[in-house]
Structures are given as C-alpha cells and as structure tokens.
Amino acid sequence: MLSSFDRDTERQRLLTRRTLVLGGMQAAAVSALVARLYYLQILEADRYTMLAEDNRISLRLLSPPRGLIVDRYGVPLALNEQNFRMMMVREQAGDVEAMLQRLSKLVPLTELDIRRVMRDVPRTRPFAPLTVKENLSWDQVSAIELNTPDLPGVSIEVGQVRAYPFGETMAHVLGYVGVVSEKELQGSEDPLLSLPGFRIGKNGLEKAHDLALRGQAGTQQLEVNAVGRVVRELSRQEGQPGKQVTLTLDAKLQHYAQQRLQEHPSAAAVVMDVRSGGVLALCSNPSFDPNQFAMGIGYDAYQALLADERGPLTNKAIAGQYPPGSTFKCLVALAALEAGVVSAEHRVYCNDHMELGGHRFHCWKKGGHGAMNMHDALKHSCDIYFYEVSRRLGIERIAEMARRFGLGSKTGLEVPGERAGLVPDGKWKRATLKEPWYDGETLINSIGQGYMLATPLQLAVMTARMANGGYAVEPHVTKSVESAYEERTVWPAIGVKPENLRLVIDGMNGVVNEQGGTAYASRITQVGMEMVGKTGSSQVRRITMAERATGVRKNEDLPWKERDHALFISFAPIQNPKYACAVIVEHGGGGSKVAAPIARDILLECQMLDAARATVAQQAEAPAEPVAPGTKR
Amino acid sequence: MSSLDLGAADTMSLGEKLAQISWSLVLLICVVASVGFAMLYSAANGNFDPWASRQIVRFCVGMVMMLTIALVDIRVWMKLAYPLYGIVFLLLIAVELVGDVGKGAQRWIDLGFIQLQPSEVMKVTLTLALARYFHGATLEDTGRIPFLFIPLLIIFAPVGLVLMQPNLGTSLILVMIGGAIFFLSGVRLWKFGLVIGSVLAAIPIIWQFMHDYQKRRVLTFLDPENDPLGMGYHITQSKIAFGSGGLFGKGFLMGTQSHLNFLPEKQTDFIFTMLAEEFGMVGAVGFLGLYCLLLLFGFVIGLRCRHQFGRLVALGLTVNLFLYLFINVAMIMGLIPVVGVPLPLISYGGTATLAVMIGFGLLLSVHVHRDVRMSKRGITDF
C-alpha cells in the first residue's frame, strides 16, 4: 500500500514536470499567435486597411450630359432627351417569364425583347436591374407606374438618349452617336468609354467634336458587399457636362435646301459665306434618320441603307466627287486672261466641232454657236471657245488656277469624310497612269470633264473665292465651342487681277441675267438679291461616233444612272456678294434646267431669311414703351 | 447506485459538492460564451436571429449538462469511461453508414434535436478512456512497449474512422490528445521521437492517400496567392480583416469585411477574425487572455487532483481546448492550413459547444472530487 503510494508520488512528480513542459509549449504557441496578431494588425495594418477599402468601395463613373449642338441662331440641332427604360430586378420579380407575360399586357413586348431578356437573365446578378425595354412612351410609363404594386422588382429608369430634332436634314453634318467599339475602347484613356451604354460620336460633327461634347466623368463612391450589391453611396462628385457647340449652319435654310433637294433622287448643295467661310447649309440627299442610329439601328434597316444605290449614308456635299463640267469654265477663262493668251474680246468661231490630233471634239450645241467672245462663251457655255483657249493655255496653267481656287485638295472642313477631288496635270498622269499627257485631254478637262473631279463643297469654295474678289477663304461649320466667336474675314489674296475677275463674273452675270444665258430662266428678280452663276452638265458616259451620227440621245431617254449630272455654281447678291452656293443633282440632266432653279431658290431663301430677321431685330430694338424722362431707377 | 459502490467515506452531500464547484471557472465560461453571443449578434448584422439566440439556448442546455456532469462522482465517470468510448465509437461507425453528407465529408448524424458530430464527442471519450487505462499504470508499466498496444488501439481505431469521413483536422487532434496523455503518463521521450520520425517519413505516402481537396488546402496554405478566388480567398480576406482592424478595431457591428460578406463562414470558423476586425489587436489579445485563463484553470485543476485519472482527464481536456483554440486561430491568421476547426464557446455550432461543455463538466467533476480515493479500478479498495 505504501509502495503504491510512493509509486503514485513518483508518477505525479513526472506528470507535474511534463505538465509544465506542455504548459510551456502552449504558452509559446499562444505567443506565436500574439506575434502573428502584432504582425497583421500593427505592422501590416496600413496595407490591409487599404485592401479592405478596395474591397468595400467601388468607384462608379457618372456619365456627364453630352453637350448640345446648336445652329448659328441657337436652334438646337442635337440634344439629350429623356429615355424611359423599364428595368427588372430578378430576385424581386420571381418567375421572370411569368413577369414578362404580365408586363406584355401593359407594354407590347416583341418576341425579340423577350428573347433578349431571357438571354440576359443568367448574365445578370439576381439583384442587378436588367433592361426589359427601352424608349417607353409616356402612356406606357404611367401604365407601369399605376400597376407598381402588382409588379415587384419592376421599375422605370430615366436615362438620356441623343435626339436630332431635324432628323434627316442634319444627319450628314451632325453624324450620330453610337456605342463604343472595342477598337475605340483600346485607343482611348477616357474611363467614360468603358461605361456600359455610353455613346460617342461616330460620324459627322458628333465625331469631330466628340471630346468637347463628351464632357468629363463624375465619380461616385459606393460601398459594396462581397457579391457586388450596393449597400450605400459614400460620396458623389458630379462630372463636367459636355460643351455646347455652335455651328455656322442656319437650320431653317438647311431645312429648306434639303427639302428642295428631296425632289430629286440624289443631290447635294452647299451655301457658304463668301467672306468668313462659314457654311450655312451643307445638304446631301437622300439622307437617313440619325435618331435611329442613336437608339441603335436594326440590322435590316442598316442593310437597306447600305444597299441603296443612291448612297444615303454618303455625305455627297463633301465626299461626292463629280466632274465639275462647264462650271469649271469660269476658272479656265480666268486663267486665260491672267496668262494673256486671249483678250476678253478675242473671238473664236464655233462651228459644231474642232479637230485636234486626228480627234474630233464636239460642242454641246449641234451646229455650233458662231463667233464667240469670252462673255458670250460663258453665257452660252460654248465648248469650242474653251477648247481653243485651253489649247493655247496648256493643262499646267489651268491646273494651277484650279488649285489656287481650292480644287484638288481638301478644304479642311471639320466634318469628317471629306474627299480631295482631282485636278489632273502632266505630272499626275505620268505618276498614276504612267502615260504622257495628250493635248486632247487638255480640251476635255477645260470643260470640266475627263479626269477633273470636284466636290460640291470645293465648288462652293471656288465660287466664294471669285465672289469675294479673289481671297482664299476657307470653309468652316463650327462657330464656337463654348467660346467667343471670332469671325475671320481676312484671307490671303489669291493673286488674280481684279479686272480679270470682273470680266469672268460679268460672264456669269450673262449666264443668269441676260436673255439667252443658259440659266436666264432661273434669275432672281428681287431687287438687290440678284445672283450670278454658271451652269454645268457633266457627262457620265461616252458618246460614240455612231450615236452622234444618229443624234445624241436625250437625257430623258437614258436610264437614270447614265444621265448627266446637273450642276450650278452661283453667288448673290451681285453688289457686295455674300453667299456662294453650289448645287449638284446626280444624273439630273442639264444644269440649267435642274440645278439652277434649286440654287436660285436657296440663295433667294437665304437672303429672304436675312431680311426677315433684320426686320424682327429692328422691331426689337425700338423701345416698345418709352421711358418717361426724369424717372430714375 | 448499488452497482457502483462508492464507499460511504468518500461520498459527499449535494450541498458539499455545490460548494466545491469552481464557480469562478463557471463565471469565466459564461464570460467567454457571452463574447461569443456578442459576435454572433454582430455576424447577423445586429440581430439575435438566426445565430445568437439559438446559440444561447444551446449554451443553457450545455450549462445544465455541465453542472450535472460536475456533480456526478468522478469514479462513476471512470467506471463509464470504456462504455462511453464504446458508444461513441459505434456512433462513428454509424456516421460511416448513415451519416449525412455535409461539406464533402460524412460527419453528422441527425438525432432530431441536434446534428451530432461523433468525432467531436470522441475527443472527450478518448480522453476518458485513455485516462482510465493509464490511471492504474505504474511507470514500469508504461515503460513496457506491449503495454502501450491497447491505448494505441484506443487512439487509432477512431482516428482511422474519422480519417475515412474524411476529416484530417479532427483526426490529427485526436492523435495529439492521445499523444499528450501518453506524454503525461510517462511514456519515454525517445518513443515519441521514434513515432514522429516515422510519421515524417510516412508523409509522402500519406500524401498519396489524401483527397484532392486536402492536397489543395495544403498547397493553398503554402502559397495562398496561387488561388486567390478559391481556398486562398478565404484566408486572404481573413488576413485583410485582421490587418484592417488595426490596434483598436473598427468598432462593434462596424467590421466591413465581415458585414459586407467578404469574410466566409464568419459565424463559425472565422468568428475570431470578426472579433479581431471589430475590436482590433486589443480585443483579440484580451480574448486570447480570457481563453488562456480557461486553460490555466484546467492545468491547476489537473495538478491539484490527487488521483491519476482526474489529472489525466483534466489535462487531456485542457490540451483538447488548447488545440481547438490554437488550430482555429492559427488557421484563420494564415499560419497553418485551413482545417475547419471551430472556436469552442464562440463559434456557432451545436456539437462543438456541447462537447466542450461536457468537457468542462468533467473538469469541474475532477475538481469537486479531487480528493476522493480511488483504486486501480476506480473504486476504493482500501
């Protein structure tokens, strides 16, 4: 018994010792835990605090409202409209399909809408709203709002959508906005672009001024939980709204001109201020509805636009390149006077055709015009006269004059997509066609045919440079981007003698205002608003010898695509010219018959609008209620 | 009680027993558990539901069980040591047969009112069984290798079953509890060295038999950044919660990591993370201090006991409690691999709470009956 007790004491002593060892090990282990706490919570606290904030705070961008685009009088051309979107939160809505069924009784949902929603369902988190339908009408919005109690998880969200009140009229100049493409996203640093649903300028001035119109992103700090659900807003910093862009365009005039062009399948017109270069109207017909693009155009509608042979998506005013036809004769005449190869009174006899190098060159008038001086040659648009003059001038001097008046190179208008046209010369032909220049080609090009190509805008610039007395005015369409407008009126002189220019303009006067002129029927009769101009009909097909023998077919007998382009360049008024106008009607037939009346109407409208505004301004200036003398405020 | 003749000399009245209960330990347990309730309240974003309220009920049930166990004579527990071990062992087998599949491992038996995890209870019954075996063993006995065969079987039979579930964490804890009792019973150190050495040598072989998820956990532990969205995510987020708590914490109910759900399992395994986030290092160290105080009680009770059975039970249970604490806290701080061990009294969970309360009951019983005389077989044979 005693021994058993001794054994127990011995055991107990060993156990106590070993308990102390165990306790020591545990103390060491707990110390390790405390050391780890110290490392995590004191030494690394800053780093982990930052990581916790990163976890917790989600930075969201707020897209700023896009800047407005207004015309020269402040009429809005592109603005932001409220867009009502129907959203649904899945976890609140319950059965999505049943909910869509119920919704379709209030708002018509197409098969496509439903398919899109069902497609988005697995991609959206249950608490994140998904778009059911965009662009709801007021009635639809109120129908939804009224039934809110029966539609859990369904809400109306107000977004902004770009709207173009003038629709087709301004489509080519303004362009449109669209969703950001992958390429655009990669090429830009702007965080706004990565916002879902953000739209940027895709074409026209919306594209050219996109950075200014876009504004700067605001930021919103949100507290989010692990699955991304927003818990609350921590802070909000509004962004910088986009800047307002004011154009030199006159919406009324543009609208008028566009309507006038719509009478023809395909046409373009440009009106510009001859001194400042401000473009008042830049029209291209047919056009398209930019609102469709802003909301996201459907595939079929887009394919239809692409397939249309009249090219509704092309801005013909700046990107359509046409042989200038007889409108080019003004510059040939000027070049001839400047070079001194003919005097104004020098006469050339037109007997239907002219022979050169074994080829026969015809005048447009069968039987010929008889003896023509420069004035008459312009007035009647005699081809033989210009064949002869150009033969003496040579292509180099003609080309040089064309370039001085802005042909053959881009004018530098801000609207994207401008093309350069073509002013051919010997060097160009050797370089591109690897052939020498033939004299016969000089003749053809002197009447604006052959290789010659010009855009309607270039023709308007050319006309403006003649109208302003020979100054190299350049066109622009942006008046200001939220800045003061400094109208530029001083331009470098082209360097032509004023008397020579006057002789050419005198010829253009003959075209419109003298009996027998090719555009006499389209003269402006309002005193002080008269215009001068030059017709042009550019051939788009080759007339064979056989056809000449049997009689040239009339335009009306030809298929549309083979008819001549009708052109007209003009400016008004004659005294102190203000506006230059170029009109082209694709395959319209003759310039005098088709293009000149349009130009006449546009220039007249332009001046009438001015006159009407001047009257209104006068009435506004006159004090409506004379203030009694002596009363001071 | 007739079959368990305790001898009149060693029986105490109920009043004496109640007076002998270490009420300061009971109070300390309540304090620690209350910290747990507060954290569960916070984990539910300031709600008693669903966790805190149910945990309080469980704790109260556990409290009654604990006091009842404390009042039962320690010699009864010694008598029941093998039968209890046997019952829980059978339950472990039952888990294999009918256990619900939870978290990729069969661990639970649904008893209706509680989802029982026999492996948790086994920690207690293993301690009892080993303590009983070594109670009557002299140092000479423990020096004989054949004498150790039976206790090794007692340890590794349940370990094998738990490994099959598979639950690596709990099997390791069982082994460590057994090892601690061997150590305290006087098994020679060189024998431990031999076993540890051979285990290390066996690691490559064990690796072959490990489940993919277990391998992944070990690998993730070694390089958490390698798996930032899977298992590594839990530890990374837990470390962020610790670190962002700083010295004084973000305040009660203000932990962003936990309340915004960046922290996984915040009501169970990661509840200490939440505590450290909301109360900072000050709170975390304070809490560890309270827990260490619990351990200290265990050591003191064990050392003051006058019979080997009581000593081994008290110290074995204390080691068990320590292992819970260390493995849980070290895991969530990224010191050891993720092994899914709760923090008793704090973590939400039924079995762990009850198992620990049973353990405390036995500890208190050892304390109350520290001076009873016990024969080799647990009954006075004077």
Side-chain angles (χ1 to χ4, degrees):
Chain A
M1 250 202 310
L2 202 74
S3 70
S4 134
F5 182 76
D6 279 346
R7 278 205 306 274
D8 190 57
T9 344
E10 199 187 338
R11 249 181 359 174
Q12 193 184 357
R13 233 183 274 134
L14 183 73
L15 180 131
T16 310
R17 253 197 336 268
R18 290 197 166 184
T19 304
L20 289 179
V21 172
L22 218 56
M25 282 160 69
Q26 294 186 5
V30 172
S31 306
L33 296 183
V34 172
R36 180 68 170 174
L37 278 175
Y38 178 75
Y39 168 78
L40 289 175
Q41 300 200 278
I42 308 295
L43 298 183
E44 294 281 301
D46 289 345
R47 186 164 77 91
Y48 284 121
T49 304
M50 213 177 67
L51 287 172
E53 292 295 282
D54 270 3
N55 266 344
R56 176 175 80 99
I57 295 169
S58 151
L59 208 62
R60 302 249 168 118
L61 288 174
L62 298 169
S63 62
R66 196 171 171 85
L68 302 188
I69 303 180
V70 300
D71 86 341
R72 59 164 50 209
Y73 299 110
V75 177
L77 306 178
L79 43 86
N80 306 310
E81 270 183 1
Q82 286 189 326
N83 167 23
F84 295 100
R85 283 191 290 253
M86 180 160 63
M87 316 295 286
M88 171 163 58
V89 177
R90 197 142 59 82
E91 67 177 8
Q92 290 165 25
D95 184 358
V96 175
E97 270 180 270
M99 179 57 77
L100 288 178
Q101 281 296 317
R102 250 181 293 165
L103 284 174
S104 61
K105 281 171 198 150
L106 302 167
V107 175
L109 293 175
T110 64
E111 193 74 16
L112 205 74
D113 288 329
I114 291 172
R115 231 184 306 146
R116 193 177 41 72
V117 172
M118 295 315 290
R119 189 198 64 201
D120 287 345
V121 163
R123 298 182 193 173
T124 330
R125 295 183 183 238
F127 55 82
L130 59 92
T131 311
V132 179
K133 195 172 175 71
E134 294 212 38
N135 306 312
L136 296 190
S137 71
W138 251 119
D139 290 344
Q140 291 169 335
V141 169
S142 49
I144 297 290
E145 298 283 2
L146 217 73
N147 290 284
T148 306
D150 302 328
L151 303 169
V154 174
S155 61
I156 300 290
E157 207 173 80
V158 186
Q160 289 201 322
V161 69
R162 196 68 158 167
Y164 304 97
F166 283 85
E168 294 198 343
T169 301
M170 293 288 175
H172 289 118
V173 186
L174 298 179
Y176 46 84
V177 293
V179 290
V180 184
S181 75
E182 201 64 41
K183 227 168 79 188
E184 288 159 335
L185 194 61
Q186 272 156 17
S188 169
E189 301 270 289
D190 194 340
L192 271 176
L193 296 197
S194 53
L195 270 183
F198 191 77
R199 311 244 151 143
I200 59 167
K202 288 284 183 177
N203 219 330
L205 290 174
E206 289 273 33
K207 184 179 182 184
H209 292 303
D210 191 56
L211 282 182
L213 290 166
R214 204 187 280 173
Q216 253 141 39
T219 52
Q220 186 187 22
Q221 281 195 318
L222 295 173
E223 188 175 81
V224 296
N225 69 9
V227 283
R229 186 199 293 267
V230 175
V231 179
R232 65 198 162 115
E233 183 181 270
L234 298 172
S235 75
R236 188 188 183 94
Q237 193 177 10
E238 294 295 341
Q240 192 99 59
K243 288 178 178 160
Q244 175 169 313
V245 172
T246 306
L247 305 184
T248 58
L249 290 182
D250 178 348
K252 275 190 184 171
L253 182 67
Q254 171 105 0
H255 182 65
Y256 177 83
Q258 185 75 23
Q259 291 217 305
R260 199 67 183 75
L261 294 183
Q262 275 166 12
E263 294 163 21
H264 301 278
S266 179
V270 178
V271 179
M272 67 183 273
D273 187 303
V274 301
R275 293 186 196 283
S276 71
V279 174
L280 285 100
L282 192 78
C283 302
S284 178
N285 179 65
S287 186
F288 58 89
D289 183 4
N291 292 303
Q292 270 192 325
F293 281 81
M295 285 182 190
I297 189 167
Y299 177 82
D300 290 342
Y302 186 63
Q303 288 303 316
L305 285 174
L306 277 180
D308 192 330
E309 62 170 2
R310 298 172 305 155
L313 293 176
T314 310
N315 185 355
K316 296 193 190 76
I318 60 168
Q321 303 183 109
Y322 307 96
S326 302
T327 59
F328 186 58
K329 287 173 183 166
C330 305
L331 290 189
V332 177
L334 187 60
L337 291 171
E338 285 285 307
V341 296
V342 290
S343 72
E345 287 312 311
H346 178 87
R347 282 172 189 274
V348 172
Y349 192 81
C350 169
N351 67 340
D352 179 69
H353 63 269
M354 170 179 173
E355 304 269 357
L356 186 77
H359 283 282
R360 183 175 276 202
F361 297 89
H362 290 269
C363 186
W364 64 271
K365 187 171 179 186
K366 208 171 165 61
H369 287 97
M372 296 264 113
N373 65 7
M374 182 175 285
H375 181 87
D376 293 336
L378 282 169
K379 178 177 164 185
H380 298 292
S381 201
C382 173
D383 292 339
I384 301 299
Y385 178 89
F386 287 96
Y387 292 155
E388 175 60 24
V389 164
S390 66
R391 195 183 57 77
R392 295 184 190 190
L393 260 175
I395 189 65
E396 304 304 328
R397 284 192 282 197
I398 294 173
E400 200 240 329
M401 188 56 75
R403 289 191 201 103
R404 281 158 80 181
F405 276 81
L407 303 184
S409 59
K410 291 182 183 175
T411 65
L413 194 78
E414 310 91 288
V415 183
E418 191 187 1
R419 298 184 71 173
L422 178 64
V423 173
D425 58 12
K427 206 174 121 196
W428 168 83
K429 197 179 171 198
R430 274 191 306 277
T432 53
L433 300 178
K434 314 273 185 253
E435 266 184 46
W437 187 267
Y438 300 114
D439 284 346
E441 291 171 333
T442 307
L443 269 52
I444 295 296
N445 283 283
S446 74
I447 60 164
Q449 298 279 159
Y451 305 117
M452 279 292 300
L453 287 174
T455 66
L457 177 66
Q458 283 175 329
L459 293 179
V461 169
M462 171 186 101
T463 314
R465 288 181 179 186
M466 289 193 283
N468 66 16
Y471 292 94
V473 63
E474 286 168 11
H476 63 268
V477 72
T478 311
K479 201 166 158 185
S480 64
V481 179
E482 237 169 55
S483 58
Y485 180 44
E486 284 170 39
E487 191 174 63
R488 180 174 172 187
T489 48
V490 180
W491 302 92
I494 288 172
V496 289
K497 293 198 187 78
E499 59 267 30
N500 290 340
L501 199 53
R502 222 170 297 136
L503 285 168
V504 174
I505 291 171
D506 191 43
M508 291 166 75
N509 187 35
V511 170
V512 181
N513 297 315
E514 288 174 19
Q515 211 146 22
T518 52
Y520 181 67
S522 300
R523 68 194 177 282
I524 290 176
T525 50
Q526 276 82 348
V527 180
M529 295 187 182
E530 297 91 341
M531 71 168 184
V532 303
K534 179 72 193 78
T535 54
S537 310
S538 57
Q539 238 170 263
V540 293
R541 67 191 180 104
R542 194 183 163 79
I543 299 173
T544 59
M545 289 297 279
E547 188 181 334
R548 284 205 191 275
T550 57
V552 177
R553 280 186 290 168
K554 284 191 176 164
N555 269 310
E556 293 81 62
D557 303 333
L558 291 169
W560 181 72
K561 268 277 181 191
E562 287 181 21
R563 292 181 199 168
D564 296 345
H565 293 317
L567 296 97
F568 194 71
I569 60 166
S570 55
F571 64 80
I574 297 174
Q575 297 300 321
N576 275 323
K578 237 182 134 181
Y579 302 113
C581 174
V583 171
I584 169 153
V585 179
E586 272 190 20
H587 310 296
S592 55
K593 224 192 275 176
V594 179
I598 298 175
R600 187 258 331 267
D601 291 348
I602 291 174
L603 279 179
L604 184 59
E605 176 71 10
C606 186
Q607 297 178 85
M608 295 293 255
L609 282 171
D610 275 355
R613 285 194 179 102
T615 322
V616 171
Q618 245 172 21
Q619 282 167 350
E621 256 171 53
E625 203 185 333
V627 179
T631 52
K632 280 185 184 170
R633 280 176 208 174
Chain B
M1 285 279 193
S2 59
S3 66
L4 300 165
D5 178 18
L6 298 171
D10 286 314
T11 46
M12 289 186 267
S13 69
L14 189 66
E16 280 173 323
K17 284 186 176 183
L18 282 173
Q20 282 299 315
I21 282 182
S22 169
W23 291 106
S24 40
L25 175 57
V26 175
L27 181 71
L28 184 59
I29 291 169
C30 290
V31 169
V32 173
S34 303
V35 173
F37 303 150
M39 292 328 294
L40 288 176
Y41 176 79
S42 176
N45 294 318
N47 284 309
F48 280 104
D49 285 323
W51 298 312
S53 56
R54 289 158 76 177
Q55 187 73 0
I56 288 170
V57 171
R58 283 172 186 169
F59 179 72
C60 291
V61 172
M63 203 63 176
V64 172
M65 278 177 71
M66 178 183 88
L67 291 174
T68 313
I69 291 167
L71 296 174
V72 174
D73 195 298
I74 191 71
R75 283 165 291 192
V76 175
W77 293 119
M78 177 144 164
K79 273 253 168 204
L80 292 175
Y82 290 145
L84 286 174
Y85 172 87
I87 291 168
V88 177
F89 187 75
L90 289 176
L91 283 176
L92 268 179
I93 294 173
V95 163
E96 280 301 308
L97 301 176
V98 298
D100 287 340
V101 174
K103 296 186 185 176
Q106 290 187 337
R107 293 181 188 177
W108 298 333
I109 285 181
D110 204 336
L111 294 185
F113 70 100
I114 190 172
Q115 289 194 319
L116 189 74
Q117 246 176 302
S119 56
E120 290 295 322
V121 187
M122 185 45 107
K123 291 174 186 170
V124 178
T125 50
L126 176 69
T127 309
L128 279 177
L130 287 175
R132 168 158 191 185
Y133 187 82
F134 282 108
H135 168 69
T138 58
L139 285 181
E140 290 82 57
D141 289 335
T142 50
R144 278 189 295 120
I145 290 177
F147 183 78
L148 299 180
F149 284 160
I150 290 174
L152 280 174
L153 193 68
I154 292 177
I155 296 171
F156 283 102
V159 165
L161 283 173
V162 173
L163 262 181
M164 276 162 67
Q165 286 182 356
N167 184 346
L168 186 63
T170 304
S171 12
L172 283 175
I173 289 178
L174 287 172
V175 170
M176 282 191 269
I177 291 171
I181 294 175
F182 270 48
F183 178 70
L184 293 169
S185 303
V187 175
R188 293 278 172 183
L189 288 180
W190 65 265
K191 286 175 184 147
F192 285 95
L194 194 74
V195 172
I196 292 171
S198 47
V199 165
L200 285 179
I203 281 179
I205 300 158
I206 294 169
W207 181 257
Q208 296 291 317
F209 285 98
M210 272 165 82
H211 280 252
D212 275 349
Y213 87 95
Q214 289 168 329
K215 286 184 185 174
R216 226 170 21 243
R217 283 181 179 183
V218 176
L219 291 175
T220 302
F221 162 70
L222 295 174
D223 184 13
E225 318 299 320
N226 207 9
D227 184 23
L229 285 177
M231 291 305 299
Y233 175 84
H234 295 190
I235 291 305
T236 305
Q237 292 300 337
S238 175
K239 277 155 79 179
I240 290 173
F242 270 103
S244 61
L247 184 57
F248 295 109
K250 297 173 185 171
F252 189 50
L253 302 177
M254 306 285 276
T256 56
Q257 284 288 102
S258 33
H259 289 122
L260 298 173
N261 283 330
F262 290 101
L263 202 59
E265 302 280 321
K266 57 176 181 284
Q267 78 279 14
T268 57
D269 293 359
F270 287 87
I271 195 152
F272 183 69
T273 307
M274 199 179 149
L275 187 148
E277 189 192 14
E278 299 199 340
F279 298 104
M281 188 178 168
V282 171
V285 170
F287 176 79
L288 286 181
L290 278 180
Y291 229 94
C292 287
L293 216 53
L294 277 178
L295 296 176
L296 199 60
F297 266 97
F299 278 120
V300 170
I301 288 172
L303 291 177
R304 279 174 65 188
C305 182
R306 295 185 52 185
H307 43 84
Q308 186 76 347
F309 178 73
R311 289 176 207 138
L312 291 177
V313 167
L315 294 173
L317 292 172
T318 308
V319 166
N320 183 21
L321 194 65
F322 165 79
L323 287 173
Y324 270 121
L325 173 75
F326 178 78
I327 292 177
N328 176 270
V329 175
M331 167 190 82
I332 60 180
M333 289 198 293
L335 280 175
I336 59 169
V338 178
V339 279
V341 167
L343 187 55
L345 296 179
I346 310 294
S347 289
Y348 177 77
T351 321
T353 309
L354 287 181
V356 167
M357 294 304 278
I358 291 170
F360 280 125
L362 288 169
L363 194 61
L364 286 167
S365 176
V366 170
H367 183 65
V368 171
H369 307 98
R370 61 188 175 276
D371 291 330
V372 298
R373 281 176 295 161
M374 232 190 273
S375 74
K376 261 184 135 182
R377 303 189 61 78
I379 301 160
T380 330
D381 58 0
F382 292 96

